[in-house]
Amino acid sequence: GAGVSQTPSNKVTEKGKYVELRCDPISGHTALYWYRQSLGQGPEFLIYFQGTGAADDSGLPNDRFFAVRPEGSVSTLKIQRTERGDSAVYLCASGLMNTGELFFGEGSRLTVL
Amino acid sequence: TQLLEQSPQFLSIQEGENLTVYCNSSSVFSSLQWYRQEPGEGPVLLVTVVTGGEVKKLKRLTFQFGDARKDSSLHITAAQPGDTGLYLCAGMNYGGSQGNLIFGKGTKLSVKP
């Protein structure tokens, strides 16, 4: 597709379960970002990839959160032992370093019961 | 921690009115972006301002970056119902990783016909 694709669009899980959220960026975009947005808040930075490596993971809230981008394209955000406070919309964005413009996906809404 | 404060948090106006929303920080940013987000979608970039004092116009929208690069404003002339949405400002860390784009909480605008 032409835009950033995120799956699943909605995920309901139980407290303590493991969750994976996938992001398929725009073809050719070297930079990939994960943000988390809670109701009534702006997006909160989680992690940023340049190519395959995490250039900045300072926003990951704790060690239950991990993200990978093994081939420099698709990225997966992994959340272990989910807690109710993890409920939010997880946004992925891709872009090019020289433009500074980010293109966001529609997000994956995670609900932890 | 760098913070961006947006005001007002909510704004409800009639079609045809003018409005200004503000984005303020005590920190200097190397650039500042404005996004618009509709329910169920990711933010969409409207503009990037880089130079202190810069003014950019996008049809009925006028964006200004403060001289000290700590604040910005968005002015909409003759608002239309299609302008309804969440307006987010986002600042890039000065000298830091491009990935750490810090968002404000947003101004939720409702334009009634």
Side-chain angles (χ1 to χ4, degrees):
Chain A
V4 176
S5 177
Q6 292 189 245
T7 55
S9 55
N10 278 287
K11 175 71 177 178
V12 180
T13 191
E14 293 180 342
K15 180 175 179 295
K17 299 290 187 181
Y18 170 79
V19 166
E20 287 191 355
L21 306 176
R22 175 189 166 108
C23 174
D24 202 335
I26 292 173
S27 178
H29 280 186
T30 54
L32 185 145
Y33 312 75
W34 284 99
Y35 287 84
R36 177 170 69 175
Q37 187 173 26
S38 300
L39 193 63
Q41 304 291 316
E44 173 193 10
F45 171 76
L46 296 176
I47 187 169
Y48 155 58
F49 289 89
Q50 185 59 242
T52 60
D56 185 349
D57 64 357
S58 61
L60 294 177
N62 52 59
D63 61 7
R64 295 187 297 106
F65 288 76
F66 189 71
V68 295
R69 194 187 185 198
E71 298 178 358
S73 179
V74 171
S75 176
T76 304
L77 178 65
K78 307 181 181 192
I79 310 174
Q80 297 178 321
R81 304 183 303 281
T82 52
E83 299 178 357
R84 292 193 181 88
D86 298 335
S87 297
V89 175
Y90 288 81
L91 293 166
C92 176
S94 69
L96 294 169
M97 274 294 290
N98 59 343
T99 66
E101 181 175 3
L102 297 188
F103 295 85
F104 281 84
E106 294 187 345
S108 292
R109 180 177 296 277
L110 174 66
T111 303
V112 182
L113 302 176
Chain B
T1 302
Q2 293 177 303
L3 293 174
L4 278 167
E5 295 188 1
Q6 291 191 242
S7 61
Q9 190 176 355
F10 300 97
L11 188 56
S12 181
I13 61 171
Q14 292 295 130
E15 181 176 3
E17 292 183 5
N18 301 332
L19 66 114
T20 302
V21 297
Y22 301 91
C23 175
N24 295 293
S25 176
S26 58
S27 303
V28 175
F29 291 98
S30 57
S31 65
L32 196 137
Q33 298 178 334
W34 283 92
Y35 290 79
R36 179 167 161 263
Q37 185 178 23
E38 297 192 46
E41 298 184 7
V44 176
L45 180 66
L46 297 173
V47 77
T48 301
V49 285
V50 179
T51 306
E54 183 176 3
V55 177
K56 280 192 174 178
K57 291 192 175 184
L58 184 66
K59 296 183 180 179
R60 294 177 294 100
L61 278 60
T62 302
F63 305 86
Q64 185 162 10
F65 200 13
D67 291 340
R69 302 215 300 265
K70 293 182 179 181
D71 54 84
S72 181
S73 64
L74 159 59
H75 182 79
I76 302 179
T77 304
Q80 299 177 0
D83 296 328
T84 293
L86 179 68
Y87 288 83
L88 295 158
C89 67
M92 189 72 70
N93 267 339
Y94 190 80
S97 159
Q98 183 181 355
N100 205 339
L101 190 64
I102 299 167
F103 282 85
K105 292 185 178 182
T107 292
K108 193 168 185 179
L109 173 65
S110 174
V111 182
K112 299 178 181 177

